[in-house]
Structures are given as structure tokens and as C-alpha cells.
Amino acid sequence: MKLQHLFFLGLSSLTLFACGEDAICDCIRASDKLTVKYEQLRHKAPKVADEKEVKELIREKKAKCREFEKMSGPEMLERKATCN
């Protein structure tokens, strides 16, 4: 499971640096929501509603982070620091 978290953190990081702060922060928030959901599911068996929620969170994250996918990790972490 730790590998999945690192993957999503890395993917989140890659997506944060190509446009304005608001878009980056939206991407980070979407990534964080997905990470939290995965963490919750780590401790219980997923139900159908959980699976639907995860799919929706993935769609939301992909839509909000699309323009940041090629951003480097260090740059993304720097931009992430500007979000509240």
C-alpha cells in the first residue's frame, strides 16, 4: 500500500507546476482526497459505494491534474507550499 501512496503523491507532485496557483491547489486537494480515501480503505473491505467514490475521485483528480503531469517532483513540492 505504501507504494500506491508514493505513486499518488508522485503523480500529484507531477501535476502541480504548469499553470496558476488556484489550478495547482485544486489538483493537490483532489489528490489529497483520493489519498485519504485509499488510506480509509486500507483498514476495511471496500463496499460498492466505496468503489464508486474512488472512481469518481480518480476522475476528478485526472481532470484537475491533467495539465501538471509533466511537472518535476521538486517543482511541484515548491508550488504545493504556496497552497493553503
Side-chain angles (χ1 to χ4, degrees), residues 11-54:
L11 186 58
S12 299
S13 297
L14 290 176
T15 58
L16 295 181
F17 298 114
C19 88
E21 182 179 318
D22 290 337
I24 288 173
C25 296
D26 287 345
C27 172
I28 291 170
R29 283 188 284 274
S31 297
D32 289 346
K33 282 188 214 176
L34 183 59
T35 301
V36 166
K37 186 63 181 179
Y38 276 128
E39 184 62 27
Q40 291 170 350
L41 293 176
R42 197 176 127 206
H43 301 290
K44 68 175 188 168
K47 297 178 181 176
V48 174
D50 293 321
E51 292 176 16
K52 288 180 181 180
E53 184 178 358
V54 166

Side-chain angles (χ1 to χ4, degrees), residues 60-72:
E60 178 184 343
K61 181 183 172 291
K62 282 183 180 181
K64 291 183 178 183
C65 297
R66 184 175 303 132
E67 58 192 286
F68 304 109
E69 289 178 357
K70 299 195 187 246
M71 189 175 290
S72 71

